[in-house]
Amino acid sequence: PTSVTAEVMAYDLTTSTALRVTNDTQFDRDMSVAPSGNVIAWAKCPTSTSPCDIWQAVKADGVWTASQVTSTADPETFPDTNGTLVVYGGVRAANATSSDIYWKPVAGGAESQLARVGEQRNPNISANVIAFEGRDLLDASPNWDIYLYDLASPQLYRLTDTPALQETLNDISVVGTRVRV
């Protein structure tokens, strides 16, 4: 039997051409494209149920170059990119009971972590602001709320505090000094 896995394809709206960025037997999923269209981030998984690593592809001079962003045995999910950074949720063995938000520069460099009590997931980035869903386990009634982390300041803001509701994040955009979540 043959197994079919998803691959990353880039479609250029200007030239109406499609290009296959990946070609392997691993599962590529949760793709995110930078606003410039020149960076793609995604989760690459050996099987449909195994932990995933985060990958990126950068377009320079019309050529896409794919590279691995993370290389751990720990699960990593929900990548997003602003073209300069790739953000993702992850669980590290040292903190196996909760997930945190991590990011790395597209050009390479050290991984950074936003470590908080509780769980964090589904990061979205625009400009220098990361929005994510967080669940503070110290709350009397833990639920998912929306948080913003300003990389420039660095400041963390809790946007919602709704004990009876579970908040979900669609996306984020920053235009000038205005943030839309």
Side-chain angles (χ1 to χ4, degrees), residues 37-56:
N38 291 330
V39 178
I40 303 170
W42 70 94
K44 181 180 282 291
C45 318
T47 70
S48 62
T49 59
S50 62
C52 303
D53 280 317
I54 304 302
W55 281 65
Q56 68 182 17

Side-chain angles (χ1 to χ4, degrees), residues 21-107:
V21 177
T22 63
N23 188 14
D24 56 36
T25 59
Q26 295 195 358
F27 292 81
D28 298 310
R29 63 180 196 212
D30 304 329
M31 284 63 127
S32 173
V33 180
S36 69
N38 291 330
V39 178
I40 303 170
W42 70 94
K44 181 180 282 291
C45 318
T47 70
S48 62
T49 59
S50 62
C52 303
D53 280 317
I54 304 302
W55 281 65
Q56 68 182 17
V58 178
K59 183 179 178 183
D61 299 323
V63 176
W64 286 97
T65 303
S67 61
Q68 193 167 355
V69 176
T70 65
S71 179
T72 73
D74 302 316
E76 292 164 327
T77 58
F78 301 110
D80 194 20
T81 183
N82 62 359
T84 303
L85 298 173
V86 174
V87 299
Y88 44 94
V91 176
R92 298 292 189 258
N95 191 15
T97 59
S98 68
S99 55
D100 285 323
I101 303 301
Y102 297 88
W103 61 92
K104 282 181 97 171
V106 168

Side-chain angles (χ1 to χ4, degrees), residues 78-179:
F78 301 110
D80 194 20
T81 183
N82 62 359
T84 303
L85 298 173
V86 174
V87 299
Y88 44 94
V91 176
R92 298 292 189 258
N95 191 15
T97 59
S98 68
S99 55
D100 285 323
I101 303 301
Y102 297 88
W103 61 92
K104 282 181 97 171
V106 168
E111 178 180 73
S112 297
Q113 174 185 14
L114 177 59
R116 298 189 57 249
V117 172
E119 301 174 79
Q120 284 62 242
R121 68 180 184 192
N122 192 22
N124 287 243
I125 187 168
S126 182
N128 285 323
V129 179
I130 300 172
F132 61 93
E133 298 166 13
R135 186 164 73 166
D136 190 337
L137 299 178
L138 299 177
D139 283 351
S141 177
N143 65 300
W144 293 101
D145 283 308
I146 306 297
Y147 291 81
L148 282 181
Y149 182 68
D150 182 349
L151 293 162
S153 37
Q155 286 288 116
L156 178 67
Y157 304 94
R158 185 174 187 167
L159 297 185
T160 64
D161 188 2
T162 52
L165 300 172
Q166 303 293 341
E167 306 289 349
T168 57
L169 178 65
N170 289 21
D171 65 355
I172 180 177
S173 63
V174 177
V175 178
T177 60
R178 300 186 80 141
V179 177

